Amino acid sequence: MEDMNQPSKYVIETRGLNIFYGDFQAVKDISLQFERNRITAIIGPSGCGKSTVLRAFNRMNDFVPSAHATGEVLYHDQNINHPSVDAVQLRRLIGMVFQKPNPFPKSIYDNIAWGAKMNGFRGNTDDLVEETLRQAALWNEVKDNLKKSALALSGGQQQRLCIARALAVRPEIILMDEPCSALDPIATLKIEDLMRELSQNYTIIIVTHNMQQAARASDYTSFFTMDTDRAGIMVEYNETSLIFTKPKDQRTEDYITGRFG
Amino acid sequence: MENTARITEKRTATAWKKPVSYNLQKKTRPTEAIIQAFLLFCGVVSILTTLGIVLELGKEAWLFFGDPEISVISFLTGTEWQPKIGKFGVLPLLNSTLITSVIAIVVALPLGIATAMFLSEYASPKMRSILKPILEVLAGVPTVVYGYFALTFMTPLLRGIFGSQNVDVYNMASAGLVMGIMILPLISSMSEDALSAVPRSLREAAYGLGATRLETALQVVLPAALSGIIAAFIIGVSRAVGETMIVAIAAGSGPNFTFNPFNAAETMTGYIARISGGDLSYNTPDYNSIFAIGLLLFLITFGLNILSRAISRRFREVYE
């Protein structure tokens, strides 16, 4: 049993995780540990199953009818792939930010309040909205327009709103699925600064296409690629600085030097 | 020079040689023009048909209101429809049209939205592939069949439940309920389109925050699809207001001014159908009155259509 006063160093851990879409094996035998209050990046070429693995951590693959997983994803000593695990409760603890900003077609205020209220928040909503918007470095830009539709914001602002919305439900882990791929470089840097800020209180796992982003913003990096069956495999996992300076595997080196992918 | 030569050589090596012309003078392309003209013609025909119907309705209604004993006010506010003694108050007909339509909508809207929600948010692809065709069959049943279904199934059922002394043989409730079944597929399929059009990313956003399926469906997907659902609702209402066969068969044929749905009362469309089948001479007020009613019906459905367009435009761009 885990001692709550001395939480384990790893907040989430996969052991021999395989994910299938129908008969097609999308990822093969992934074993990874994610350290608490650190930013871990998953990089790799398109189609190597990075997002699939990320979406396994909060069971978002449940909504893909053909998807199923074997192996273990351990979170607080429970295998979340087990049928007895309540995926709704799991997603309240593990938040997610998606590739394309997807705010609700509601006001900025309601975007944040909705999820929090659903998660049982009964305090002062005004304070919560201000606090999370400040955490997401968006407050100063929107404080006079909280009743405005979230869709009127720019892409970068929308994405920070989506981060604020995820923070408002007080998750332990934030999964980010290529959160900057639809954003311009300035908005991207803002999100990266924000991630650094948030990592003091949250564990962040980010999937990214952008190697510079992984190099700049993450503490650990895991490199994925495809094997000959086009299934995603994990090649190398290490501290980010080591992955980018002294990769152990030739495939990693080829990828980060731009010879592949 | 050397390069050009090589490219030319390559070209001649293939079997096909592209005819090169640098004449940029505008060309006439007859097929394009003919097809374009044909498409324009089709569009114009449908517009002219509509205009023709409006003109014909208007002309005959003008004759009707031109009668010195009939005024627009008395037509719209009169509570008695007795053409034999020159009383042309449309309220009894309008009233039963509204009552049957309200009953139909009360049946079809909740059921239709619930069906749509089930199909779009809950049903597995296999389930959907079974249910959708069944609903479409419901939409394809001729309304005359629905009419006799109301008369020979729904009415006895209502009389069995509420007592035959309370429920007339011809009554608005039975016609309205069956009309609700008739427009159910329309509302459910249009609502389902609206719900399915809500981007997956919005559902994922909700699920990602720990929302259940029901919370996602009711609080995120449904509001985002609202404009489409309102449009479905209004088209359903127009369909109910304009429906003829069911009410002609099952609602009764006396223009009674009653609010009791278990009574027989003729609707506007029912009256038009009955009169046009009889042997009335042209240009009598009786005959012309059906055009006045037709015009009123047209104005109601036209108004509803404009309303539905205005609403969908207002709520459009809610997402993305």
Side-chain angles (χ1 to χ4, degrees):
Chain A
M1 281 299 286
E2 188 182 0
D3 182 350
M4 289 310 284
N5 296 321
Q6 276 187 309
S8 119
K9 190 179 165 197
Y10 300 118
V11 65
I12 203 162
E13 192 175 341
T14 72
R15 287 181 190 160
L17 175 67
N18 300 295
I19 303 173
F20 303 84
Y21 292 119
D23 295 331
F24 172 69
Q25 181 158 17
V27 292
K28 204 180 267 181
D29 194 26
I30 306 288
S31 297
L32 277 169
Q33 294 99 25
F34 296 93
E35 209 172 299
R36 190 177 299 279
N37 293 1
R38 290 285 180 274
I39 302 172
T40 305
I42 302 178
I43 60 170
S46 295
C48 69
K50 313 181 288 287
S51 293
T52 301
V53 167
L54 192 76
R55 293 163 66 92
F57 297 158
N58 64 347
R59 293 259 304 260
M60 281 310 262
N61 291 330
D62 287 12
F63 300 107
V64 182
S66 64
H68 73 280
T70 64
E72 291 186 323
V73 177
L74 293 172
Y75 176 62
H76 288 273
D77 293 331
Q78 296 162 86
N79 177 13
I80 64 166
N81 283 336
H82 197 271
S84 69
V85 166
D86 180 20
V88 169
Q89 182 57 27
L90 178 75
R91 292 185 203 112
R92 293 178 176 193
L93 296 163
I94 304 182
M96 189 161 208
V97 177
F98 297 86
Q99 184 167 0
K100 216 177 109 209
N102 55 355
F104 298 120
K106 304 174 193 273
S107 70
I108 295 169
Y109 187 97
D110 288 338
N111 257 281
I112 292 172
W114 186 73
K117 282 185 180 153
M118 203 172 47
N119 279 260
F121 177 76
R122 294 288 174 269
N124 184 328
T125 316
D126 292 356
D127 291 347
L128 177 84
V129 169
E130 175 169 353
E131 184 194 319
T132 48
L133 283 173
R134 279 187 192 283
Q135 284 177 325
L138 188 59
W139 174 251
N140 287 331
E141 293 160 59
V142 301
K143 62 183 173 193
D144 300 322
N145 295 312
L146 292 177
K147 294 288 167 202
K148 210 168 75 171
S149 166
L151 299 168
L153 299 173
S154 73
Q157 289 174 326
Q158 287 189 9
Q159 196 62 303
R160 276 177 284 150
L161 179 64
C162 291
I163 294 174
R165 177 176 71 183
L167 296 177
V169 308
R170 298 283 181 269
E172 187 177 20
I173 303 174
I174 302 172
L175 307 175
M176 295 186 166
D177 189 359
E178 300 187 37
C180 302
S181 63
L183 304 184
D184 65 64
I186 293 169
T188 300
L189 282 181
K190 277 194 184 148
I191 303 268
E192 287 173 13
D193 289 344
L194 177 60
M195 282 162 52
R196 186 52 70 194
E197 196 76 28
L198 294 174
S199 68
Q200 291 167 10
N201 300 305
Y202 300 92
T203 305
I204 296 176
I205 305 174
I206 177 173
V207 160
T208 177
H209 252 111
N210 179 334
M211 279 181 286
Q212 285 78 24
Q213 180 165 59
R216 279 192 303 261
S218 70
D219 301 303
Y220 293 94
T221 296
S222 168
F223 171 65
F224 279 42
T225 190
M226 278 172 283
D227 70 3
T228 45
D229 302 328
R230 295 184 44 240
I233 48 169
M234 207 260 294
V235 175
E236 193 169 349
Y237 179 38
N238 213 331
E239 284 177 34
T240 297
S241 53
L242 291 174
I243 286 272
F244 282 95
T245 53
K246 296 184 199 99
K248 289 183 190 131
D249 194 289
Q250 185 61 38
R251 290 169 292 182
T252 315
E253 191 175 340
D254 287 351
Y255 185 74
I256 59 170
T257 52
R259 253 174 285 177
F260 167 62
Chain B
M1 278 312 278
E2 195 194 357
N3 251 347
T4 329
R6 209 166 49 207
I7 288 169
T8 325
E9 196 181 74
K10 235 184 185 172
R11 273 226 181 112
T12 44
T14 61
W16 182 71
K17 188 170 182 293
K18 183 184 171 184
V20 179
S21 160
Y22 295 106
N23 176 10
L24 298 179
Q25 199 65 38
K26 234 185 185 148
K27 287 187 194 66
T28 47
R29 295 187 168 84
T31 353
E32 290 277 319
I34 290 168
I35 298 228
Q36 207 176 327
F38 175 71
L39 294 177
L40 180 70
F41 171 75
C42 293
V44 167
V45 163
S46 68
I47 292 171
L48 288 181
T49 312
T50 314
L51 278 179
I53 290 171
V54 174
L55 277 180
E56 181 61 19
L57 277 177
K59 195 186 85 192
E60 301 284 341
W62 184 260
L63 286 177
F64 175 71
F65 290 119
D67 192 308
E69 290 179 19
I70 299 154
S71 76
V72 178
I73 304 291
S74 70
F75 173 72
L76 289 176
T77 58
T79 56
E80 262 186 281
W81 185 269
Q82 298 290 355
K84 293 272 178 297
I85 54 167
K87 287 196 167 167
F88 291 100
V90 81
L91 283 184
L93 301 176
L94 184 62
N95 176 62
S96 56
T97 289
L98 292 183
I99 289 179
T100 47
S101 302
V102 166
I103 294 172
I105 281 296
V106 164
V107 171
L109 193 66
L111 275 179
I113 292 178
T115 310
M117 194 105 94
F118 177 75
L119 284 175
S120 134
E121 306 301 307
Y122 289 91
S124 64
K126 194 176 169 211
M127 193 83 149
R128 198 175 307 139
S129 70
I130 297 170
L131 274 175
K132 274 209 110 173
I134 293 178
L135 268 176
E136 276 151 20
V137 165
L138 215 52
V141 175
T143 55
V144 63
V145 174
Y146 276 120
Y148 279 98
F149 174 69
L151 193 61
T152 59
F153 176 81
M154 193 59 84
T155 302
L157 187 69
L158 288 176
R159 284 167 73 98
I161 296 170
F162 295 101
S164 50
Q165 71 280 12
N166 298 323
V167 183
D168 293 352
V169 173
Y170 297 100
N171 66 81
M172 295 185 278
S174 162
L177 289 172
V178 172
M179 215 148 76
I181 298 171
M182 179 196 78
I183 58 177
L184 172 67
L186 178 78
I187 292 193
S188 65
S189 111
M190 282 186 70
S191 303
E192 205 246 344
D193 290 345
L195 292 171
S196 308
V198 172
R200 205 182 126 105
S201 65
L202 273 188
R203 293 186 181 83
E204 293 199 326
Y207 291 134
L209 290 169
T212 60
R213 257 178 203 273
L214 187 65
E215 284 163 337
T216 306
L218 287 181
Q219 297 176 35
V220 174
V221 182
L222 195 63
L226 199 61
S227 67
I229 290 172
I230 291 172
F233 162 68
I234 287 173
I235 288 182
V237 174
S238 340
R239 197 58 217 280
V241 167
E243 170 50 33
T244 307
M245 224 44 220
I246 298 174
V247 287
I249 292 170
S253 53
N256 300 328
F257 191 44
T258 170
F259 293 102
N260 182 351
F262 292 143
N263 287 351
E266 195 163 44
T267 66
M268 299 162 79
T269 51
Y271 175 76
I272 295 175
R274 179 163 63 91
I275 293 304
S276 60
D279 45 3
L280 276 175
S281 47
Y282 290 109
N283 281 331
T284 58
D286 292 29
Y287 176 77
N288 290 340
S289 72
I290 64 176
F291 289 93
I293 296 173
L295 186 65
L296 184 60
L297 265 179
F298 175 79
L299 290 177
I300 293 173
T301 45
F302 185 64
L304 286 170
N305 275 331
I306 289 181
L307 191 67
S308 94
R309 290 185 136 246
I311 289 174
S312 349
R313 199 168 314 143
R314 183 162 156 26
F315 286 97
R316 207 185 295 157
E317 298 179 332
V318 217
Y319 44 80
E320 295 205 297

PDB file of all heavy atoms in Angstrom, chain B residues 291-316:
ATOM      1  N   PHE B 291     -59.769  29.259 -50.301  1.00  0.00           N
ATOM      2  CA  PHE B 291     -58.516  29.928 -50.681  1.00  0.00           C
ATOM      3  C   PHE B 291     -58.064  30.899 -49.598  1.00  0.00           C
ATOM      4  O   PHE B 291     -56.872  31.073 -49.374  1.00  0.00           O
ATOM      5  CB  PHE B 291     -58.684  30.641 -52.028  1.00  0.00           C
ATOM      6  CG  PHE B 291     -58.791  29.662 -53.156  1.00  0.00           C
ATOM      7  CD1 PHE B 291     -60.030  29.215 -53.594  1.00  0.00           C
ATOM      8  CD2 PHE B 291     -57.649  29.152 -53.749  1.00  0.00           C
ATOM      9  CE1 PHE B 291     -60.123  28.290 -54.611  1.00  0.00           C
ATOM     10  CE2 PHE B 291     -57.740  28.230 -54.770  1.00  0.00           C
ATOM     11  CZ  PHE B 291     -58.975  27.787 -55.210  1.00  0.00           C
ATOM     12  N   ALA B 292     -59.051  31.512 -48.943  1.00  0.00           N
ATOM     13  CA  ALA B 292     -58.689  32.386 -47.829  1.00  0.00           C
ATOM     14  C   ALA B 292     -58.010  31.567 -46.732  1.00  0.00           C
ATOM     15  O   ALA B 292     -56.985  31.964 -46.172  1.00  0.00           O
ATOM     16  CB  ALA B 292     -59.927  33.084 -47.285  1.00  0.00           C
ATOM     17  N   ILE B 293     -58.573  30.382 -46.460  1.00  0.00           N
ATOM     18  CA  ILE B 293     -57.963  29.521 -45.444  1.00  0.00           C
ATOM     19  C   ILE B 293     -56.589  29.055 -45.909  1.00  0.00           C
ATOM     20  O   ILE B 293     -55.624  29.051 -45.145  1.00  0.00           O
ATOM     21  CB  ILE B 293     -58.871  28.305 -45.160  1.00  0.00           C
ATOM     22  CG1 ILE B 293     -60.186  28.782 -44.552  1.00  0.00           C
ATOM     23  CG2 ILE B 293     -58.181  27.328 -44.232  1.00  0.00           C
ATOM     24  CD1 ILE B 293     -61.199  27.675 -44.400  1.00  0.00           C
ATOM     25  N   GLY B 294     -56.520  28.700 -47.191  1.00  0.00           N
ATOM     26  CA  GLY B 294     -55.238  28.265 -47.743  1.00  0.00           C
ATOM     27  C   GLY B 294     -54.184  29.343 -47.597  1.00  0.00           C
ATOM     28  O   GLY B 294     -53.038  29.065 -47.230  1.00  0.00           O
ATOM     29  N   LEU B 295     -54.585  30.584 -47.863  1.00  0.00           N
ATOM     30  CA  LEU B 295     -53.645  31.693 -47.741  1.00  0.00           C
ATOM     31  C   LEU B 295     -53.180  31.842 -46.293  1.00  0.00           C
ATOM     32  O   LEU B 295     -51.993  32.038 -46.020  1.00  0.00           O
ATOM     33  CB  LEU B 295     -54.300  32.988 -48.236  1.00  0.00           C
ATOM     34  CG  LEU B 295     -53.389  34.210 -48.300  1.00  0.00           C
ATOM     35  CD1 LEU B 295     -52.294  34.000 -49.333  1.00  0.00           C
ATOM     36  CD2 LEU B 295     -54.188  35.460 -48.642  1.00  0.00           C
ATOM     37  N   LEU B 296     -54.127  31.706 -45.371  1.00  0.00           N
ATOM     38  CA  LEU B 296     -53.771  31.823 -43.954  1.00  0.00           C
ATOM     39  C   LEU B 296     -52.771  30.725 -43.559  1.00  0.00           C
ATOM     40  O   LEU B 296     -51.769  30.976 -42.887  1.00  0.00           O
ATOM     41  CB  LEU B 296     -55.039  31.741 -43.105  1.00  0.00           C
ATOM     42  CG  LEU B 296     -54.861  31.947 -41.598  1.00  0.00           C
ATOM     43  CD1 LEU B 296     -54.281  33.313 -41.311  1.00  0.00           C
ATOM     44  CD2 LEU B 296     -56.205  31.784 -40.877  1.00  0.00           C
ATOM     45  N   LEU B 297     -53.064  29.497 -44.030  1.00  0.00           N
ATOM     46  CA  LEU B 297     -52.156  28.385 -43.757  1.00  0.00           C
ATOM     47  C   LEU B 297     -50.776  28.662 -44.315  1.00  0.00           C
ATOM     48  O   LEU B 297     -49.754  28.439 -43.658  1.00  0.00           O
ATOM     49  CB  LEU B 297     -52.675  27.112 -44.440  1.00  0.00           C
ATOM     50  CG  LEU B 297     -53.510  26.142 -43.659  1.00  0.00           C
ATOM     51  CD1 LEU B 297     -53.909  24.988 -44.559  1.00  0.00           C
ATOM     52  CD2 LEU B 297     -52.710  25.611 -42.476  1.00  0.00           C
ATOM     53  N   PHE B 298     -50.773  29.169 -45.555  1.00  0.00           N
ATOM     54  CA  PHE B 298     -49.508  29.470 -46.204  1.00  0.00           C
ATOM     55  C   PHE B 298     -48.742  30.496 -45.386  1.00  0.00           C
ATOM     56  O   PHE B 298     -47.532  30.358 -45.163  1.00  0.00           O
ATOM     57  CB  PHE B 298     -49.765  29.986 -47.620  1.00  0.00           C
ATOM     58  CG  PHE B 298     -48.529  30.436 -48.334  1.00  0.00           C
ATOM     59  CD1 PHE B 298     -47.674  29.511 -48.913  1.00  0.00           C
ATOM     60  CD2 PHE B 298     -48.217  31.780 -48.415  1.00  0.00           C
ATOM     61  CE1 PHE B 298     -46.526  29.919 -49.559  1.00  0.00           C
ATOM     62  CE2 PHE B 298     -47.063  32.198 -49.062  1.00  0.00           C
ATOM     63  CZ  PHE B 298     -46.219  31.266 -49.632  1.00  0.00           C
ATOM     64  N   LEU B 299     -49.460  31.531 -44.921  1.00  0.00           N
ATOM     65  CA  LEU B 299     -48.791  32.570 -44.139  1.00  0.00           C
ATOM     66  C   LEU B 299     -48.226  31.997 -42.841  1.00  0.00           C
ATOM     67  O   LEU B 299     -47.126  32.363 -42.419  1.00  0.00           O
ATOM     68  CB  LEU B 299     -49.750  33.720 -43.841  1.00  0.00           C
ATOM     69  CG  LEU B 299     -50.132  34.575 -45.050  1.00  0.00           C
ATOM     70  CD1 LEU B 299     -51.139  35.653 -44.659  1.00  0.00           C
ATOM     71  CD2 LEU B 299     -48.882  35.219 -45.659  1.00  0.00           C
ATOM     72  N   ILE B 300     -48.964  31.086 -42.216  1.00  0.00           N
ATOM     73  CA  ILE B 300     -48.470  30.499 -40.962  1.00  0.00           C
ATOM     74  C   ILE B 300     -47.182  29.716 -41.215  1.00  0.00           C
ATOM     75  O   ILE B 300     -46.163  29.923 -40.550  1.00  0.00           O
ATOM     76  CB  ILE B 300     -49.541  29.574 -40.328  1.00  0.00           C
ATOM     77  CG1 ILE B 300     -50.743  30.402 -39.862  1.00  0.00           C
ATOM     78  CG2 ILE B 300     -48.952  28.801 -39.155  1.00  0.00           C
ATOM     79  CD1 ILE B 300     -51.911  29.560 -39.383  1.00  0.00           C
ATOM     80  N   THR B 301     -47.218  28.816 -42.223  1.00  0.00           N
ATOM     81  CA  THR B 301     -46.019  28.007 -42.453  1.00  0.00           C
ATOM     82  C   THR B 301     -44.867  28.862 -42.967  1.00  0.00           C
ATOM     83  O   THR B 301     -43.712  28.643 -42.606  1.00  0.00           O
ATOM     84  CB  THR B 301     -46.295  26.858 -43.450  1.00  0.00           C
ATOM     85  OG1 THR B 301     -47.029  27.388 -44.532  1.00  0.00           O
ATOM     86  CG2 THR B 301     -47.071  25.752 -42.805  1.00  0.00           C
ATOM     87  N   PHE B 302     -45.212  29.860 -43.792  1.00  0.00           N
ATOM     88  CA  PHE B 302     -44.176  30.766 -44.291  1.00  0.00           C
ATOM     89  C   PHE B 302     -43.516  31.499 -43.117  1.00  0.00           C
ATOM     90  O   PHE B 302     -42.288  31.598 -43.038  1.00  0.00           O
ATOM     91  CB  PHE B 302     -44.825  31.758 -45.271  1.00  0.00           C
ATOM     92  CG  PHE B 302     -43.865  32.672 -45.958  1.00  0.00           C
ATOM     93  CD1 PHE B 302     -42.904  32.167 -46.825  1.00  0.00           C
ATOM     94  CD2 PHE B 302     -43.920  34.044 -45.767  1.00  0.00           C
ATOM     95  CE1 PHE B 302     -42.014  33.005 -47.468  1.00  0.00           C
ATOM     96  CE2 PHE B 302     -43.036  34.894 -46.407  1.00  0.00           C
ATOM     97  CZ  PHE B 302     -42.093  34.374 -47.263  1.00  0.00           C
ATOM     98  N   GLY B 303     -44.365  31.989 -42.204  1.00  0.00           N
ATOM     99  CA  GLY B 303     -43.843  32.676 -41.020  1.00  0.00           C
ATOM    100  C   GLY B 303     -42.939  31.756 -40.206  1.00  0.00           C
ATOM    101  O   GLY B 303     -41.861  32.149 -39.766  1.00  0.00           O
ATOM    102  N   LEU B 304     -43.383  30.494 -40.053  1.00  0.00           N
ATOM    103  CA  LEU B 304     -42.567  29.550 -39.285  1.00  0.00           C
ATOM    104  C   LEU B 304     -41.224  29.292 -39.957  1.00  0.00           C
ATOM    105  O   LEU B 304     -40.190  29.188 -39.303  1.00  0.00           O
ATOM    106  CB  LEU B 304     -43.326  28.234 -39.109  1.00  0.00           C
ATOM    107  CG  LEU B 304     -44.485  28.261 -38.114  1.00  0.00           C
ATOM    108  CD1 LEU B 304     -45.304  26.992 -38.215  1.00  0.00           C
ATOM    109  CD2 LEU B 304     -43.957  28.437 -36.702  1.00  0.00           C
ATOM    110  N   ASN B 305     -41.255  29.209 -41.288  1.00  0.00           N
ATOM    111  CA  ASN B 305     -39.995  28.991 -42.011  1.00  0.00           C
ATOM    112  C   ASN B 305     -39.032  30.151 -41.831  1.00  0.00           C
ATOM    113  O   ASN B 305     -37.837  29.953 -41.633  1.00  0.00           O
ATOM    114  CB  ASN B 305     -40.260  28.776 -43.504  1.00  0.00           C
ATOM    115  CG  ASN B 305     -40.600  27.332 -43.793  1.00  0.00           C
ATOM    116  OD1 ASN B 305     -40.145  26.450 -43.088  1.00  0.00           O
ATOM    117  ND2 ASN B 305     -41.400  27.106 -44.809  1.00  0.00           N
ATOM    118  N   ILE B 306     -39.580  31.367 -41.919  1.00  0.00           N
ATOM    119  CA  ILE B 306     -38.719  32.544 -41.731  1.00  0.00           C
ATOM    120  C   ILE B 306     -38.143  32.532 -40.316  1.00  0.00           C
ATOM    121  O   ILE B 306     -36.953  32.763 -40.108  1.00  0.00           O
ATOM    122  CB  ILE B 306     -39.527  33.836 -41.987  1.00  0.00           C
ATOM    123  CG1 ILE B 306     -39.829  33.944 -43.484  1.00  0.00           C
ATOM    124  CG2 ILE B 306     -38.775  35.059 -41.504  1.00  0.00           C
ATOM    125  CD1 ILE B 306     -40.591  35.173 -43.862  1.00  0.00           C
ATOM    126  N   LEU B 307     -39.011  32.186 -39.363  1.00  0.00           N
ATOM    127  CA  LEU B 307     -38.567  32.115 -37.975  1.00  0.00           C
ATOM    128  C   LEU B 307     -37.431  31.106 -37.823  1.00  0.00           C
ATOM    129  O   LEU B 307     -36.417  31.371 -37.173  1.00  0.00           O
ATOM    130  CB  LEU B 307     -39.758  31.716 -37.100  1.00  0.00           C
ATOM    131  CG  LEU B 307     -39.568  31.826 -35.602  1.00  0.00           C
ATOM    132  CD1 LEU B 307     -39.431  33.290 -35.216  1.00  0.00           C
ATOM    133  CD2 LEU B 307     -40.756  31.212 -34.874  1.00  0.00           C
ATOM    134  N   SER B 308     -37.596  29.941 -38.467  1.00  0.00           N
ATOM    135  CA  SER B 308     -36.574  28.905 -38.298  1.00  0.00           C
ATOM    136  C   SER B 308     -35.259  29.353 -38.918  1.00  0.00           C
ATOM    137  O   SER B 308     -34.179  29.092 -38.387  1.00  0.00           O
ATOM    138  CB  SER B 308     -37.045  27.578 -38.888  1.00  0.00           C
ATOM    139  OG  SER B 308     -36.604  27.427 -40.198  1.00  0.00           O
ATOM    140  N   ARG B 309     -35.346  30.062 -40.060  1.00  0.00           N
ATOM    141  CA  ARG B 309     -34.107  30.556 -40.683  1.00  0.00           C
ATOM    142  C   ARG B 309     -33.443  31.588 -39.780  1.00  0.00           C
ATOM    143  O   ARG B 309     -32.237  31.559 -39.594  1.00  0.00           O
ATOM    144  CB  ARG B 309     -34.408  31.206 -42.039  1.00  0.00           C
ATOM    145  CG  ARG B 309     -34.809  30.184 -43.061  1.00  0.00           C
ATOM    146  CD  ARG B 309     -34.992  30.828 -44.418  1.00  0.00           C
ATOM    147  NE  ARG B 309     -34.361  29.977 -45.406  1.00  0.00           N
ATOM    148  CZ  ARG B 309     -33.308  30.318 -46.112  1.00  0.00           C
ATOM    149  NH1 ARG B 309     -32.767  31.492 -45.981  1.00  0.00           N
ATOM    150  NH2 ARG B 309     -32.779  29.492 -46.967  1.00  0.00           N
ATOM    151  N   ALA B 310     -34.267  32.481 -39.229  1.00  0.00           N
ATOM    152  CA  ALA B 310     -33.708  33.521 -38.373  1.00  0.00           C
ATOM    153  C   ALA B 310     -33.028  32.890 -37.167  1.00  0.00           C
ATOM    154  O   ALA B 310     -31.919  33.281 -36.785  1.00  0.00           O
ATOM    155  CB  ALA B 310     -34.811  34.471 -37.932  1.00  0.00           C
ATOM    156  N   ILE B 311     -33.689  31.864 -36.600  1.00  0.00           N
ATOM    157  CA  ILE B 311     -33.114  31.244 -35.401  1.00  0.00           C
ATOM    158  C   ILE B 311     -31.827  30.507 -35.733  1.00  0.00           C
ATOM    159  O   ILE B 311     -30.825  30.648 -35.041  1.00  0.00           O
ATOM    160  CB  ILE B 311     -34.139  30.304 -34.742  1.00  0.00           C
ATOM    161  CG1 ILE B 311     -35.246  31.147 -34.117  1.00  0.00           C
ATOM    162  CG2 ILE B 311     -33.482  29.443 -33.690  1.00  0.00           C
ATOM    163  CD1 ILE B 311     -36.392  30.361 -33.572  1.00  0.00           C
ATOM    164  N   SER B 312     -31.836  29.743 -36.853  1.00  0.00           N
ATOM    165  CA  SER B 312     -30.589  29.015 -37.145  1.00  0.00           C
ATOM    166  C   SER B 312     -29.459  29.987 -37.425  1.00  0.00           C
ATOM    167  O   SER B 312     -28.313  29.724 -37.081  1.00  0.00           O
ATOM    168  CB  SER B 312     -30.717  28.053 -38.324  1.00  0.00           C
ATOM    169  OG  SER B 312     -32.016  27.879 -38.705  1.00  0.00           O
ATOM    170  N   ARG B 313     -29.774  31.128 -38.071  1.00  0.00           N
ATOM    171  CA  ARG B 313     -28.702  32.080 -38.352  1.00  0.00           C
ATOM    172  C   ARG B 313     -28.175  32.684 -37.055  1.00  0.00           C
ATOM    173  O   ARG B 313     -26.990  32.883 -36.881  1.00  0.00           O
ATOM    174  CB  ARG B 313     -29.229  33.196 -39.265  1.00  0.00           C
ATOM    175  CG  ARG B 313     -28.123  33.942 -39.966  1.00  0.00           C
ATOM    176  CD  ARG B 313     -28.674  34.818 -41.073  1.00  0.00           C
ATOM    177  NE  ARG B 313     -29.639  34.099 -41.895  1.00  0.00           N
ATOM    178  CZ  ARG B 313     -30.726  34.668 -42.408  1.00  0.00           C
ATOM    179  NH1 ARG B 313     -31.003  35.920 -42.173  1.00  0.00           N
ATOM    180  NH2 ARG B 313     -31.538  33.966 -43.165  1.00  0.00           N
ATOM    181  N   ARG B 314     -29.102  32.924 -36.138  1.00  0.00           N
ATOM    182  CA  ARG B 314     -28.694  33.559 -34.894  1.00  0.00           C
ATOM    183  C   ARG B 314     -27.786  32.646 -34.067  1.00  0.00           C
ATOM    184  O   ARG B 314     -26.838  33.087 -33.445  1.00  0.00           O
ATOM    185  CB  ARG B 314     -29.940  33.911 -34.101  1.00  0.00           C
ATOM    186  CG  ARG B 314     -29.625  34.636 -32.844  1.00  0.00           C
ATOM    187  CD  ARG B 314     -30.851  35.356 -32.298  1.00  0.00           C
ATOM    188  NE  ARG B 314     -30.804  35.602 -30.958  1.00  0.00           N
ATOM    189  CZ  ARG B 314     -30.018  35.783 -29.997  1.00  0.00           C
ATOM    190  NH1 ARG B 314     -29.418  35.847 -30.128  1.00  0.00           N
ATOM    191  NH2 ARG B 314     -29.863  35.934 -28.776  1.00  0.00           N
ATOM    192  N   PHE B 315     -28.107  31.354 -34.086  1.00  0.00           N
ATOM    193  CA  PHE B 315     -27.340  30.437 -33.239  1.00  0.00           C
ATOM    194  C   PHE B 315     -26.195  29.776 -33.980  1.00  0.00           C
ATOM    195  O   PHE B 315     -25.455  29.016 -33.422  1.00  0.00           O
ATOM    196  CB  PHE B 315     -28.257  29.363 -32.650  1.00  0.00           C
ATOM    197  CG  PHE B 315     -29.136  29.879 -31.553  1.00  0.00           C
ATOM    198  CD1 PHE B 315     -30.430  30.256 -31.818  1.00  0.00           C
ATOM    199  CD2 PHE B 315     -28.659  29.994 -30.264  1.00  0.00           C
ATOM    200  CE1 PHE B 315     -31.241  30.738 -30.814  1.00  0.00           C
ATOM    201  CE2 PHE B 315     -29.459  30.469 -29.262  1.00  0.00           C
ATOM    202  CZ  PHE B 315     -30.760  30.847 -29.532  1.00  0.00           C
ATOM    203  N   ARG B 316     -26.076  30.045 -35.291  1.00  0.00           N
ATOM    204  CA  ARG B 316     -24.989  29.420 -36.028  1.00  0.00           C
ATOM    205  C   ARG B 316     -23.656  29.976 -35.525  1.00  0.00           C
ATOM    206  O   ARG B 316     -23.616  30.957 -34.794  1.00  0.00           O
ATOM    207  CB  ARG B 316     -25.141  29.678 -37.516  1.00  0.00           C
ATOM    208  CG  ARG B 316     -24.503  28.577 -38.343  1.00  0.00           C
ATOM    209  CD  ARG B 316     -24.557  28.919 -39.816  1.00  0.00           C
ATOM    210  NE  ARG B 316     -25.948  28.953 -40.266  1.00  0.00           N
ATOM    211  CZ  ARG B 316     -26.332  29.646 -41.349  1.00  0.00           C
ATOM    212  NH1 ARG B 316     -25.464  30.349 -42.029  1.00  0.00           N
ATOM    213  NH2 ARG B 316     -27.589  29.646 -41.709  1.00  0.00           N
TER     214      ARG B 316
END
